[in-house]
Amino acid sequence: MPKSELVVPSAATPGASGCVVEVTPASAGWRYVGFQAYRLKPGERLESETGSDECCLVLLSGKADIWTSAQRWDDVGERMSVFEPKPPYSAYVPSGDRFGVEALTEVELAVCRAPGKGTYPARLIVPADVGVEIRGQGLTERIVRNILPEGEPADSLLVVEVYTPGGHWSSYPPHKHDEDRLPDESLLEETYYHRIEPGHGFAVQRVYTDDRSLDETITVRDGDVVLVPRGYHPVGAPAGYDVYYLNVMAGPVRTWKFHNDPDHEWIMQGWSRPVAAGGKNGGDSR
């Protein structure tokens, strides 16, 4: 059976630059979101121009020196795995700038891209800046860390990570954000970068529209990127396998207004509650 066109698998071996998976607007067939994941060994460097994009560099794991044309942050990073219960360090870099990263340990780095206007200066986003929430209840409970929510400055990007324990569901109840009809719903393209623990496991993600012109249920492997061009997109973590994903969203207006699938909206009964430890409260959630 051919692999879904909504899945971009990661490479078993990093390329010359350390890249293991890449999505561009051209490759995805959309307009806004770009994403790359890199794995760097100690001493390896990644350097790039931002061009017309703004970027959010998410240090998924490891420690690194990070710099832009006007800023430098040395010995950045704390967690050694995305499954450690703490938010990451990240760096926001505007369009018309450049960035560099030098790994001090083994590093997993995400580079999130979307069109920029050069409005805001580069800045470091530390764990205390990241809003942390528990969403859901029972088997829909998951931990959400809002790295670059709409309440924080950026031109286009929205970036959030989610930890879903084995046996739980997230991005749930199913919701979508594929129509530009504010204030009720915003149009946002989205990528999901998945990590699975243990790594030989899998997750399940369904992407579907009301008219079922798109209706795929995807087996997600460790390191896969799932593209969500439109439709509802819940994620299931099988029992025994914890699931992490990093979401990147962008569209014509930088706001996250979603529409729940009416068939399943009854499931949500005001589940959000803040978490004091590990970051500031509030913000968007998944």
Side-chain angles (χ1 to χ4, degrees):
M1 179 177 294
K3 197 169 182 67
S4 168
E5 292 183 359
L6 299 181
V7 177
V8 183
S10 63
T13 303
S17 66
C19 187
V20 292
V21 65
E22 179 175 29
V23 175
T24 68
S27 70
W30 56 30
R31 295 180 57 190
Y32 299 99
V33 171
F35 176 82
Q36 295 89 30
Y38 295 85
R39 294 184 185 173
L40 304 176
K41 296 178 181 178
E44 290 185 334
R45 285 189 174 196
L46 171 67
E47 296 186 80
S48 179
E49 304 284 337
T50 59
S52 61
D53 291 336
E54 62 181 358
C55 296
C56 184
L57 315 179
V58 183
L59 194 56
L60 298 172
S61 63
K63 294 186 177 184
D65 295 337
I66 301 174
W67 61 91
T68 70
S69 60
Q71 300 281 350
R72 185 178 179 94
W73 304 284
D74 290 329
D75 198 18
V76 172
E78 184 179 3
R79 70 184 189 188
M80 294 294 112
S81 166
V82 296
F83 293 99
E84 289 185 22
K86 60 187 72 172
Y89 281 79
S90 305
Y92 172 82
V93 189
S95 57
D97 204 338
R98 60 183 175 83
F99 64 83
V101 179
E102 181 172 351
L104 303 177
T105 66
E106 289 191 353
V107 159
E108 183 177 14
L109 176 75
V111 179
C112 315
R113 294 179 175 267
K117 302 175 183 178
T119 309
Y120 305 102
R123 70 184 186 274
L124 186 67
I125 303 169
V126 302
D129 295 332
V130 177
V132 181
E133 293 179 275
I134 294 175
R135 291 281 290 180
Q137 61 185 8
L139 293 180
T140 64
E141 187 171 292
R142 65 273 195 190
I143 297 173
V144 177
R145 304 185 186 105
N146 293 292
I147 296 166
L148 193 60
E150 64 183 84
E152 298 297 328
D155 290 324
S156 297
L157 279 169
L158 297 164
V159 182
V160 62
E161 66 176 19
V162 178
Y163 166 77
T164 308
H168 288 218
W169 285 83
S170 60
S171 289
Y172 196 86
H175 66 268
K176 71 181 184 74
H177 37 74
D178 60 10
E179 295 185 60
D180 189 3
R181 53 181 191 91
L182 291 170
D184 297 318
E185 184 177 352
S186 55
L187 192 162
L188 296 169
E189 301 163 353
E190 184 170 24
T191 56
Y192 277 68
Y193 175 58
H194 288 272
R195 297 301 313 277
I196 316 293
E197 177 64 32
H200 63 270
F202 66 97
V204 175
Q205 186 158 17
R206 184 184 179 197
V207 183
Y208 68 99
T209 56
D210 287 309
D211 63 5
R212 302 304 192 265
S213 60
L214 173 61
D215 191 357
E216 293 194 32
T217 301
I218 300 161
T219 300
V220 182
R221 305 295 182 182
D222 186 36
D224 283 351
V225 173
V226 174
L227 308 178
V228 182
R230 64 190 186 279
Y232 308 99
H233 40 275
V235 175
Y241 295 96
D242 296 336
V243 174
Y244 165 97
Y245 54 77
L246 181 74
N247 290 132
V248 184
M249 293 179 284
V253 180
R254 189 175 179 261
T255 187
W256 185 60
K257 302 295 182 184
F258 62 89
H259 172 74
N260 286 326
D261 185 336
D263 287 343
H264 307 298
E265 190 169 23
W266 64 270
I267 297 169
M268 188 169 62
Q269 302 293 332
W271 293 340
S272 181
R273 61 186 186 274
V275 177
K280 67 183 182 180
N281 299 326
D284 294 330
S285 55
R286 301 295 294 147

